[in-house]
Amino acid sequence: MTRSPRFLTASALTLALLATPLFVAAAPAEPQAQPAALPLGRALSSFAGQQGVALSFDPALTAGRSAPAVADGLSVEAGFNQLLAGSGLRARRRADGSYTVERAAGKAPMPALRVEANAASTYLPSQLPYGQGTRLDEHALQAQVKGNGDIATALRSNPAVQFSDRSRTTRNMGEIRPDDFSINGAPYYQNLFLLDGASFNNDLDPVATAVGTTENTNHNSDVPSAAQGIAVDVDLLESLTVYDANVPAAYGGFTGGVVDARTRGARDAFGGKVWMRMARSAWDQIITNPAQDTTYEESATLAYQPAYDKYRVGARLEGRTQGGLGIIGTVVRSRSEIPLRAYTAGRSTPGNDVNQRTQTRENTAATVALDWSSDTLDLRLGLGYAPTDDRYFIANTKNSWFDLKSGGPTANLSAVWRHGAWTLSQRLSYSDLESSRRSEETTMRHWRPSQAFDWGVAAVSSEGSWGSVDQHDRKLGYTLSVAHDTVTVGRTAHDVQGGLSVQRRDANYKRLNDQYVYQSAVATRSCTLSDGRVDSVSCSLSPLLDGSGNGQYLSMLQLFHAGEFSVSGEEYAAWLQDDIRIGNWSVRPGLRLDRDNVFNQTNLSPRLAVSWDVFGDEDTRINAGVNRYYGRSFFAYLLRDGRERLRESKTRRSASTAWEDVAGTWNVATNRLRDLDSPYADEWSLGLDQRVAGLRISAKYVDRRSRRDVLRRRIGEPLDATLYNRNTFEYTNDGRSDAGIATLTVASREPWTFLGTRNSWQLAADHTDVKRNYNSYEDTLLMDELVRYEGKLMYRHQLPATDYLRPWSARLGTRTEVPALGLTWNNSFSYRAGYQGIATGRPETIDGVSVPNLTRQQFSGTWTWDASIEYRHALPRDQEAYVRVEAQNVLNRSNLTSGVAGTAFYEPGRSFWLELGYTF
């Protein structure tokens, strides 16, 4: 078989890359035949690059030797054996998946190098072995419609991932925080997020999020806390891997999936990139139900965002010193401005307050990475700082600005040491992620409108905010993993790996100052206290606007005392697995042990994955697995009880009574603590990976049974009425869900050419069936509560789930490159099937018990076309300028996702991003 000059050029490029000390993650590619005329060294390098593996060898070993022709479809081992036949050399596989080429007599192996993806990259997700999931390399990440540039947006083409119907809507286009998502039917907060192997989950209270929803951002005590502790920008990444089934034993702390992000390493040559992206509501089409038009126009809350301007600017520099030290630094700054009205329902204050305010969202993602390698040692240091500062105000309230701060610093130091057949990897990581609130006000007061307090528009003139609160989630962790090169025992080959980890976790909730909330105005003619002092804080003689001539005093005080509560402890883990190959079979048994002394849990997770190469040519693989995963518990369970006890209530009957003379009533907690077990999920899966007729086909079914999930339930009578009130709740392990998810992916194995264009595509579809008796751990519903649904009595846990769980969907992605014109055109077509929501009607009484009456609400399917087009213009001295335009919902389809009439949620209408960039 012969290859085109373009293929020979790509092979020469791959060989040149091998000669440099690069460390770049490779995407798996399909094996290709090598021309007989190629030198052996070049053939080895090209074959390794196309297989997506690392290869090391001494070029002197292959000098003067030619490579024989290699047939298509060979495995890695078979391909190397055919290339090396008769040369006196052999290829040996290392535990990390790299290969060494050495003399058969046993010459010491050279250190492994990573090779860049081959020039024939399809810019599509690659499949992982054992049906574990998919990986997006740097090329595939850039080929996506990036939107806000976050991880969640990059995963919208993944069939195992589902999003809330309210996550990305026409209501919240000004937000820049990443969306939450579910993997294989699990709760969105039970995913594990890793950046260079270290967790960036925020485990404070991930359900208390206000991003893009109607939830109350200005709660007196709760501060929003997103599941992703930092907003990771895809422009920082080299690869993004999602493990959704048959997850290796090295990963724990999830019942959904693992999202493993790897940052870029420095190239050899000095270079960099600067870019700017922008999106504006003036370019968009906002789709609403006519009943919502006025609500949009008069919006004073984040629940409806009629206008916004978003900007993202970034810069990257990289290079390598003569001593081999690689340095790369990247900064990305995002900002969104969302103008709103200060007062609801279109009202304008007649007094001394403004009527228009602009909320802002700001995020910075800055990283610096250093790496250095020798024959036996790889070192890498990564430092990151990713703070988010979102500015809000309280509608209908003067001087009510407050900031929600999240994110924070991260650090990661790793060392990989190779000694003979052993590879020892160590990682030390640190993060300090916050979810805090800052306000300049230490009081909140609710006055009746008067000459001094003249801004009220609804019989009240409010001022102030809820005060400052700090929440921090600090982690300091160490991980050790050991791997041995392949060991042959009889007819079996074993790759044994194991590891240990320990992590210190510290979380705290701290109210920084006493916060006073005054309310319930009563008419008065005097503000003089009984001791002769004048109350100028909670009393005013300014005449009320009702014409009575009276002043007013505030008769009720809610005092939120300064205080701090903290929780700390350690987590330990040990794991061991053996990747066994015998004939056409691969079997990977594993075992993971986790110990958590924060919640006093010890869990043992067996893992087993099996793969059968049916014909021994890697064209047909059947994968199966049986696994258990244990999820995480959150600090909110432990901190809630303490923060509720910081509240004191006082009521006075006269304006002459000083507050210090009023006996206060301390709030009793509404949350009772009890021992909780770790939630877990039992999984079995069956899948097929097939290569045929130039296609790559992957089909998989995953069955998940989740038990002991956490939710809140009401307690009939509290044990101690002095500590708990009658509306007391406790966290329990009464949550459960059953999920069955079938996915199908069909993609082109190689780009195909047509009239000077280069094309690739992927079709991904899923069918999801999930039954769950809760939505989050903050739900207060009883598992065995009776409801009437469509006329039938059933338990609540038997109801069909409605969010994150469209019954089926399909996604088609295409990419067309026109090299002669410097153009690239990406398309994403998605269809999400209609689903049955649940509406609540009038309750009925059965045997003296009130039973909710629920009915089915049908929502139609939605389909959307997103596209991007990019033009690149070459400049002298290896420089390049480019412009990129992204369009979401190109056809501006009206896609209703949930709600009705005035509460409807629609997918975004036609909207645009513009990006300009320059590389050197």
Side-chain angles (χ1 to χ4, degrees), residues 258-468:
V258 178
V259 180
D260 190 358
R262 302 284 172 165
T263 56
R264 299 177 74 253
R267 305 295 197 257
D268 271 4
F270 175 77
K273 175 183 176 181
V274 293
W275 69 97
M276 185 274 289
R277 288 171 59 84
M278 63 184 298
R280 307 186 65 219
S281 58
W283 301 343
D284 299 350
Q285 297 292 323
I286 297 180
I287 298 174
T288 67
N289 186 291
Q292 293 177 299
D293 289 346
T294 301
T295 303
Y296 271 93
E297 294 172 2
E298 300 175 348
S299 176
T301 71
L302 62 83
Y304 295 89
Q305 300 174 10
Y308 68 88
D309 286 292
K310 294 194 286 191
Y311 302 92
R312 295 167 59 82
V313 293
R316 178 169 65 238
L317 286 175
E318 61 184 314
R320 193 171 296 275
T321 68
Q322 291 184 348
L325 177 64
I327 306 174
I328 180 170
T330 307
V331 178
V332 182
R333 176 79 167 177
S334 304
R335 179 179 171 88
S336 176
E337 297 180 354
I338 308 169
L340 298 167
R341 298 185 63 87
Y343 291 85
T344 57
R347 296 171 294 196
S348 297
T349 173
N352 60 356
D353 195 17
V354 298
N355 289 304
Q356 298 287 335
R357 299 175 186 170
T358 299
Q359 294 190 358
T360 59
R361 314 286 190 262
E362 290 184 348
N363 173 253
T364 301
T367 63
V368 175
L370 297 87
D371 70 89
W372 179 85
S373 298
S374 70
D375 290 350
T376 58
L377 182 65
D378 297 334
L379 295 175
R380 180 181 174 91
L381 172 65
L383 302 174
Y385 184 53
T388 294
D389 190 345
D390 297 341
R391 190 160 179 78
Y392 298 84
F393 64 87
I394 304 174
N396 302 320
T397 305
K398 185 180 179 180
N399 299 327
S400 62
W401 290 103
F402 63 94
D403 294 285
L404 297 182
K405 297 179 178 295
S406 58
T410 60
N412 197 321
L413 174 63
S414 64
V416 179
W417 178 60
R418 295 174 294 275
H419 179 70
W422 293 93
T423 300
L424 179 70
S425 302
Q426 299 181 83
R427 176 180 294 108
L428 184 65
S429 61
Y430 172 78
S431 64
D432 183 0
L433 308 180
E434 70 171 324
S435 296
S436 301
R437 179 175 65 204
R438 285 291 183 275
S439 171
E440 297 179 355
E441 300 295 325
T442 59
T443 62
M444 177 182 285
R445 296 179 289 186
H446 302 289
W447 304 98
R448 290 170 61 184
S450 68
Q451 291 181 9
F453 309 112
D454 60 352
W455 59 86
V457 295
V460 63
S461 290
S462 297
E463 61 177 341
S465 186
W466 289 111
S468 299

